[in-house]
Amino acid sequence: MKNNLQELDKKYIIPTYGRNYTNFVSGKNATLKDDKGNDYIDFTSGIGVVSVGHANDKVSKAICDQVSSITHISNLYVIEPQAKCAQRIVSLSGYDMQCFFANSGAESNEGAIKIARKYGEIEGETKRYKIITLDQSFHGRTITALKATGQEVMHNYFGPFPDGFTYASDIDAIEGMIDDHTVAVMIELVQGEGGVQPLDKTKVQALSKMLKSRDILLIVDEVQTGVYRTGEFLASNVYEITPDIITLAKGLGGGVPIGVVMTSKKEVLTPGDHGSTFGGNYLSTAASNTVMDILSELKDSGELDRTFIKFEAKLEEVFSNNRNLFTSSVGFGLMRGLRVKNAETLANIIKATHDKGLLMLKAGRNTLRFLPPLTISDEEIIEGFKRLDEALSSL
Ligand SMILES: *Cc1c(COP(=O)(O)O)cnc(C)c1O
C-alpha cells in the first residue's frame, strides 16, 4: 500500500517538495496516526495551520453543518458567515478596519500590495509604487509575493518580475531607502520561514511612527504570526502598533484554506478593483468563526498563556541540556525555534525526531522550528519533548 502510494505520488505529482512518505490517516489534537498504527506528536500543526488541533470536534461540526445547507454562492451575494467572520476579526484585532477574503497567504499579500499600489496612485502629487521589505522575509509564492520575498535564491527563474521591490538588510536600514516613490513597507514582526526571528519592539514602534509621519503605509504580514500564535490575536497587538494593512491566513481556518487582507484605508479599493471566486465562501468562514470562538475562549480563560509557559519551560530545558547542538533559543508564544550549530545537524535532528514519532520543522538561519497547535495538551507537550530528548541522544 505504502509503496503504491509513493509510486502514485512520484508519477503524478510535480516534484516541488522534498517529501516524506509517511501516510498519515487520522489525528486528534496534536497527535497523528499513520497507516501502520504508529503515533506521532505534531509540533508543526501543518505549518501553523491546524491552530485548534487535528479533527477538532467543534470545527468538524461547524463545517459539516455548514456544507449540509450551503457551501458556495459567490461574492456577488452577501454571505452571512463572511460578514460575521470579518466583524470577529476586526473586533478581536482592536483596529478600525475592513476585510477582503482570499484563500491563502500569498493571495492576501497580493491584495495588500494592490491596496498599497492604488493608494500610491490616488494619494499625493507623484505616483508612488515602491515597497520595501526585509532580507530573509517570506511573503509567498505568486510572482509578486515572491518578488516581495527578500531571499535572492527564490528569484532564480520566473522573471521578469514586477518592479518596485527593494530589500532592507535590517529594520534600521529601512529609513535610508525611502524615496519619493515609496508607498509602503511590508514586514513580518516575527520572521517565520526566515528563522523565527522577532523584530525589536522599540524599533518597530519607531518605524511605525516615522512611516505615519511620511504617509507611507505599514503592511504587516501576519500570515504566520496571527490568530493567537504569538500570544495576542495579532502580533501587531503584542508590538502595540497600528498598521495600515494586515494579512492573515495560516491559522485562521483551522485547516480550511482562507486568507484575509484587512486595512484602515477603507476607501481605496472600489467595485471592480479586486475579487476572488472562492474567497470568504460559506465553508471557509464558518470554519474560521468556530476557530476564533475556540481560540478567543482559550485566551480569555488563561489556558493559552498557561500552555505557553509549560511549552517554554520544556523548550528551555532542552536548550540548556544541549548547548553542544544549539546556539540560541528564539521566538515567543507558540512560534519558537532553537538555532542549530549547522545545517547538517539540523537535518539529522529532523530525521531523528521523525523516527522517534515527533514531527518538527526547519526554518532559515538553521532553525529547528516549533509550531504546535495552540490547543496542545500538557500530556502531548510532555510526550513530544520526551521524544525530542530521545532523538537528540540518538544523534
Ligand atoms: C506561509 C506564509 C506565506 C504564504 O502563505 P501561502 O498560504 O502558502 O500562500 C506568506 N507570508 C508568511 C509570513 C508566511 O508564513
Side-chain angles (χ1 to χ4, degrees), residues 104-107 109 138-141 188 192-193 221 223-224 249-250:
S104 68
E107 206 191 332
N109 286 336
F138 183 76
H139 298 296
R141 299 284 192 163
E188 298 155 88
E193 303 308 310
D221 177 348
V223 168
Q224 193 161 150
K250 291 193 164 90

Side-chain angles (χ1 to χ4, degrees), residues 10-32:
K10 288 201 157 144
K11 183 153 184 210
Y12 291 107
I13 302 294
I14 297 174
T16 59
Y17 301 98
R19 220 161 226 181
N20 179 295
Y21 285 96
T22 307
N23 179 18
F24 296 107
V25 290
S26 66
K28 197 73 207 167
N29 203 16
T31 307
L32 281 164

Side-chain angles (χ1 to χ4, degrees), residues 226 295 386:
L295 292 180
K386 186 172 143 245

Side-chain angles (χ1 to χ4, degrees), residues 50 52 67 80 97 99 115 156 160 168 183 196 217-218 222 240 263 327 347:
V50 193
V52 293
V67 299
E80 187 173 342
M97 292 187 172
C99 298
I115 294 169
N156 298 331
V183 71
V196 198
L217 304 181
L218 177 60
E222 295 232 28
E240 299 175 284
T263 182
T327 55

Side-chain angles (χ1 to χ4, degrees), residues 126-385:
T126 39
K127 178 179 155 105
R128 297 183 293 151
Y129 63 96
K130 288 187 182 169
I131 296 175
I132 301 169
T133 68
L134 287 175
D135 268 359
Q136 306 215 44
S137 56
F138 183 76
H139 298 296
R141 299 284 192 163
T142 60
I143 293 280
T144 304
L146 201 59
K147 188 60 182 169
T149 293
Q151 300 182 47
E152 284 298 348
V153 288
M154 292 202 172
H155 305 151
N156 298 331
Y157 318 110
F158 316 122
F161 288 99
D163 275 347
F165 291 94
T166 48
Y167 317 110
S169 55
D170 58 31
I171 189 168
D172 300 320
I174 292 174
E175 187 164 11
M177 293 172 63
I178 292 172
D179 67 24
D180 289 347
H181 298 287
T182 306
V183 71
V185 169
M186 175 149 97
I187 54 174
E188 298 155 88
L189 293 171
V190 184
Q191 287 187 343
E193 303 308 310
V196 198
Q197 180 66 40
L199 297 182
D200 178 83
K201 182 170 173 177
T202 315
K203 287 184 181 179
V204 169
Q205 291 179 340
L207 173 74
S208 166
K209 208 168 151 208
M210 181 273 291
L211 294 177
K212 262 194 182 61
S213 75
R214 301 176 68 164
D215 191 32
I216 293 166
L217 304 181
L218 177 60
I219 305 171
V220 179
D221 177 348
E222 295 232 28
V223 168
Q224 193 161 150
T225 54
V227 200
Y228 295 105
R229 178 60 56 188
T230 58
E232 300 294 335
F233 181 62
L234 300 175
S236 297
N237 302 133
V238 178
Y239 278 73
E240 299 175 284
I241 53 167
T242 304
D244 302 286
I245 303 173
I246 297 169
T247 55
L248 297 175
K250 291 193 164 90
L252 187 60
V256 174
I258 187 169
V260 69
V261 50
M262 54 199 288
T263 182
S264 53
K265 302 292 180 200
K266 301 173 188 176
E267 68 294 342
V268 175
L269 294 185
T270 53
D273 279 342
H274 199 39
S276 166
T277 297
F278 294 113
N281 78 9
Y282 287 84
L283 167 62
S284 62
T285 52
S288 178
N289 285 332
T290 306
V291 168
M292 285 188 282
D293 282 348
I294 295 166
L295 292 180
S296 58
E297 200 181 305
L298 203 69
K299 171 72 183 174
D300 295 344
S301 68
E303 197 52 46
L304 184 65
D305 292 311
R306 278 193 287 278
T307 303
F308 284 179
I309 290 165
K310 281 175 194 140
F311 200 91
E312 175 170 280
K314 284 285 173 191
L315 186 76
E316 291 311 319
E317 202 179 300
V318 179
F319 175 53
S320 56
N321 290 342
N322 295 278
R323 295 304 305 269
N324 55 323
L325 300 172
F326 302 122
T327 55
S328 61
S329 169
V330 288
F332 53 91
L334 282 182
M335 186 169 177
R336 318 284 304 223
L338 293 175
R339 295 272 162 78
V340 180
K341 61 181 182 185
N342 60 47
E344 193 196 338
T345 310
L346 176 57
N348 291 338
I349 293 174
I350 302 272
K351 179 161 187 322
T353 55
H354 191 94
D355 293 344
K356 298 288 178 192
L358 172 67
L359 305 184
M360 298 232 38
L361 293 164
K362 58 181 179 167
R365 300 174 165 103
N366 292 337
T367 309
L368 179 67
R369 181 162 47 147
F370 300 74
L371 218 53
L374 304 177
T375 51
I376 189 169
S377 69
D378 292 356
E379 295 73 35
E380 287 168 328
I381 294 176
I382 290 165
E383 184 61 27
F385 278 99

